Amino acid sequence: MDITPEARSRQLEERIAVDPGAFRILTGDRPTGPLHLGHYFGTLASRARLQHTGVELFVLVADYQVLTDRDVADHLSEYVEGLVADYLAAGIDPSTATIFRHSSVPALNQLMLPFLSLVSIAELSRNPTVKDEIATSRQAAVSGLMFTYPVHQAADILFCKANLVPVGRDQLPHQEITRTIARRFNERYGPVFPVPDALLSSAPLLLGTDGHKMSKSRGNAIALSATEDETARLVRRAVTDADRTITYAPETRPQVSGLVLLAALCQGRDPHTVAAEIGDGGAAALKKVVTDSVNEFLRPIRARRAELAADRAYLRGVLAEGEERANAIAQRTLEEVREAMAS
């Protein structure tokens, strides 16, 4: 009997609680701008939590993959350092986490060549996530990098033999290609790679100030690095509705409920309780609660991030240490792959 991804994730969480050292996680982000509250509640907080339980954490700054959906990589150095500052301010510990860039680990990228031989064009074409990314691409034409993005992601995961990958449900097709590549390599050449599991995020979808999914590209996100005044301006512009009574009803009142949820997450409370306390206060009262909650929650994170951003040498040092570790692991894996394919 097949088990659902949600049930499998619950089993994995139970196993992590018993033996966190048995797991190695690969996760990461593209350096296309500052991380925001959607990232924090969707992935960052979970990464820090898992790391602090004793899980080994690898965090990829996917600088090559910036080019999957755009023709140029603007402000790349600035965004890379900003991403590292966001990670550390959010609680990722660089003394045990391995934080690294694609461009600094050549052996990782070499794994794409044998991996590409293990999947067909038809399999890549059917990938619904790739179809969606192609549809929203900023490129004049679909590049080979965009089309083969899931294979590059498989190299990211398998170079360090990660056996656990935190994902949203929309990323499951990518994850399945990684699992397929690992299985096929092992069947064809011998056991080299684990078949990694997906750990589904339990975080609810966080909407931006325009009522759509919070996203850097939509300009509807509250960045971790935003000032308190910038946060207040963004929340004031947020879309609500004409009903003065504030309720938490995501199906029928998504914009209002998105703001209530944001305040509730920042307060660590149930959104129904937050909505009931605002009651008949209307949109103005709701937006004040959201602004105050976000600014209070982010205050220590912002203070820590400001310190980190002012010390660029330290951020570069974190990357250098992580990349030294990642290169050693990637080189060993590549040598194993070569030996397996040659025997």
Side-chain angles (χ1 to χ4, degrees):
M1 180 178 177
D2 290 337
I3 187 171
T4 66
E6 290 81 3
R8 178 60 177 159
S9 294
R10 288 193 293 272
Q11 291 179 351
L12 289 165
E13 288 282 6
E14 291 172 1
R15 289 176 55 195
I16 290 168
V18 173
D19 186 13
F23 294 91
R24 175 178 281 183
I25 284 178
L26 184 286
T27 184
D29 303 275
R30 297 190 305 163
T32 55
L35 298 185
H36 51 68
L37 283 169
H39 293 118
Y40 182 86
F41 289 114
T43 60
L44 286 178
S46 177
R47 293 175 194 174
R49 173 184 65 82
L50 290 166
Q51 181 191 11
H52 294 149
T53 68
V55 170
E56 188 176 8
L57 182 65
F58 282 69
V59 185
L60 168 66
V61 178
D63 53 350
Y64 278 167
Q65 288 176 2
V66 170
L67 297 172
T68 53
D69 65 350
R70 59 198 75 201
D71 295 321
V72 294
D74 293 325
H75 309 290
L76 192 56
S77 295
E78 172 192 343
Y79 287 160
V80 166
E81 291 177 10
L83 201 55
V84 176
D86 284 335
Y87 289 153
L88 305 189
I92 291 174
D93 182 356
S95 68
T96 55
T98 300
I99 304 173
F100 66 99
R101 291 169 291 186
H102 265 151
S103 58
S104 296
V105 188
L108 180 163
N109 297 292
Q110 282 183 262
L111 289 174
M112 271 196 78
L113 293 176
F115 285 1
L116 282 166
S117 73
L118 298 169
V119 289
S120 68
I121 290 174
E123 285 172 317
L124 294 175
S125 299
R126 288 195 298 268
N127 186 301
T129 312
V130 169
K131 287 181 180 179
D132 180 64
E133 288 171 350
I134 287 172
T136 59
S137 171
R138 299 183 187 181
Q139 289 181 312
V142 176
S143 70
L145 182 61
M146 165 70 84
F147 191 68
T148 59
Y149 168 66
V151 182
H152 200 186
Q153 191 173 70
D156 299 338
I157 295 165
L158 296 176
F159 96 92
C160 64
K161 300 187 179 179
N163 57 4
L164 198 60
V165 185
V167 294
R169 176 166 274 283
D170 62 334
Q171 289 291 309
L172 286 175
H174 276 357
Q175 174 69 4
E176 194 52 44
I177 286 181
T178 297
R179 291 169 57 83
T180 296
I181 287 172
R183 281 193 295 263
R184 287 178 182 170
F185 187 96
N186 294 342
E187 290 165 1
R188 190 173 298 182
Y189 301 112
V192 172
F193 297 109
V195 179
D197 273 303
L199 183 65
L200 279 181
S201 170
S202 59
L205 175 66
L206 197 58
L207 300 183
T209 53
D210 62 354
H212 296 278
K213 180 181 177 181
M214 194 173 284
S215 165
K216 287 181 280 191
S217 61
R218 293 190 67 94
N220 66 353
I222 300 172
L224 302 183
S225 55
T227 67
E228 296 197 5
D229 286 343
E230 287 168 344
T231 298
R233 284 196 297 272
L234 282 165
V235 175
R236 276 198 301 271
R237 296 204 315 251
V239 177
T240 55
D241 59 33
D243 189 342
R244 184 169 180 81
T245 302
I246 302 303
T247 58
Y248 182 67
E251 296 294 325
T252 57
R253 304 183 71 188
Q255 294 94 344
V256 165
S257 298
L259 290 172
V260 171
L261 177 61
L262 179 53
L265 288 169
C266 289
Q267 294 179 22
R269 301 171 69 207
D270 181 83
H272 295 281
T273 303
V274 173
E277 288 179 356
I278 299 170
D280 294 333
L286 170 61
K287 291 179 180 182
K288 183 179 187 309
V289 168
V290 172
T291 299
D292 292 345
S293 301
V294 168
N295 282 334
E296 182 66 26
F297 178 79
L298 285 180
R299 195 166 289 124
I301 295 174
R302 287 166 170 166
R304 173 66 176 146
R305 192 192 184 284
E307 292 176 6
L308 291 161
D311 192 348
R312 297 179 65 186
Y314 174 71
L315 297 175
R316 292 169 181 168
V318 167
L319 280 171
E321 289 181 12
E323 285 159 4
E324 183 177 1
R325 273 179 271 171
N327 269 298
I329 291 169
Q331 193 59 47
R332 285 198 300 270
T333 301
L334 184 60
E335 288 168 6
E336 283 186 64
V337 165
R338 287 170 173 164
E339 289 173 7
M341 294 178 73
S343 61

PDB file of all heavy atoms in Angstrom, residues 30 87 92 213 315:
ATOM      1  N   ARG A  30      18.017  30.492  -4.418  1.00  0.00           N
ATOM      2  CA  ARG A  30      18.704  31.278  -5.444  1.00  0.00           C
ATOM      3  C   ARG A  30      18.939  32.691  -4.922  1.00  0.00           C
ATOM      4  O   ARG A  30      18.027  33.289  -4.322  1.00  0.00           O
ATOM      5  CB  ARG A  30      17.873  31.325  -6.722  1.00  0.00           C
ATOM      6  CG  ARG A  30      17.659  29.974  -7.365  1.00  0.00           C
ATOM      7  CD  ARG A  30      17.038  30.090  -8.743  1.00  0.00           C
ATOM      8  NE  ARG A  30      15.796  30.853  -8.706  1.00  0.00           N
ATOM      9  CZ  ARG A  30      15.205  31.379  -9.775  1.00  0.00           C
ATOM     10  NH1 ARG A  30      15.748  31.250 -10.954  1.00  0.00           N
ATOM     11  NH2 ARG A  30      14.081  32.035  -9.663  1.00  0.00           N
ATOM     12  N   TYR A  87      20.502  33.873   6.308  1.00  0.00           N
ATOM     13  CA  TYR A  87      20.583  32.534   6.907  1.00  0.00           C
ATOM     14  C   TYR A  87      21.038  32.608   8.361  1.00  0.00           C
ATOM     15  O   TYR A  87      20.428  32.016   9.255  1.00  0.00           O
ATOM     16  CB  TYR A  87      21.582  31.663   6.138  1.00  0.00           C
ATOM     17  CG  TYR A  87      21.153  31.228   4.766  1.00  0.00           C
ATOM     18  CD1 TYR A  87      22.108  30.945   3.791  1.00  0.00           C
ATOM     19  CD2 TYR A  87      19.821  31.060   4.433  1.00  0.00           C
ATOM     20  CE1 TYR A  87      21.742  30.524   2.525  1.00  0.00           C
ATOM     21  CE2 TYR A  87      19.437  30.647   3.165  1.00  0.00           C
ATOM     22  CZ  TYR A  87      20.416  30.379   2.215  1.00  0.00           C
ATOM     23  OH  TYR A  87      20.043  29.960   0.963  1.00  0.00           O
ATOM     24  N   ILE A  92      20.611  29.804  11.473  1.00  0.00           N
ATOM     25  CA  ILE A  92      21.476  28.741  10.971  1.00  0.00           C
ATOM     26  C   ILE A  92      22.882  28.954  11.518  1.00  0.00           C
ATOM     27  O   ILE A  92      23.429  30.058  11.451  1.00  0.00           O
ATOM     28  CB  ILE A  92      21.461  28.699   9.432  1.00  0.00           C
ATOM     29  CG1 ILE A  92      20.078  28.228   8.956  1.00  0.00           C
ATOM     30  CG2 ILE A  92      22.551  27.792   8.887  1.00  0.00           C
ATOM     31  CD1 ILE A  92      19.877  28.265   7.467  1.00  0.00           C
ATOM     32  N   LYS A 213       0.624  34.765  -3.419  1.00  0.00           N
ATOM     33  CA  LYS A 213       1.733  34.142  -2.698  1.00  0.00           C
ATOM     34  C   LYS A 213       2.876  35.136  -2.521  1.00  0.00           C
ATOM     35  O   LYS A 213       3.265  35.832  -3.461  1.00  0.00           O
ATOM     36  CB  LYS A 213       2.229  32.911  -3.467  1.00  0.00           C
ATOM     37  CG  LYS A 213       3.390  32.196  -2.780  1.00  0.00           C
ATOM     38  CD  LYS A 213       3.855  30.997  -3.598  1.00  0.00           C
ATOM     39  CE  LYS A 213       5.058  30.339  -2.946  1.00  0.00           C
ATOM     40  NZ  LYS A 213       5.549  29.177  -3.749  1.00  0.00           N
ATOM     41  N   LEU A 315      31.168  37.209   6.365  1.00  0.00           N
ATOM     42  CA  LEU A 315      30.259  36.470   5.485  1.00  0.00           C
ATOM     43  C   LEU A 315      31.040  35.700   4.429  1.00  0.00           C
ATOM     44  O   LEU A 315      30.730  34.537   4.129  1.00  0.00           O
ATOM     45  CB  LEU A 315      29.271  37.430   4.819  1.00  0.00           C
ATOM     46  CG  LEU A 315      28.320  38.172   5.762  1.00  0.00           C
ATOM     47  CD1 LEU A 315      27.485  39.176   4.984  1.00  0.00           C
ATOM     48  CD2 LEU A 315      27.414  37.197   6.521  1.00  0.00           C
TER      49      LEU A 315
END
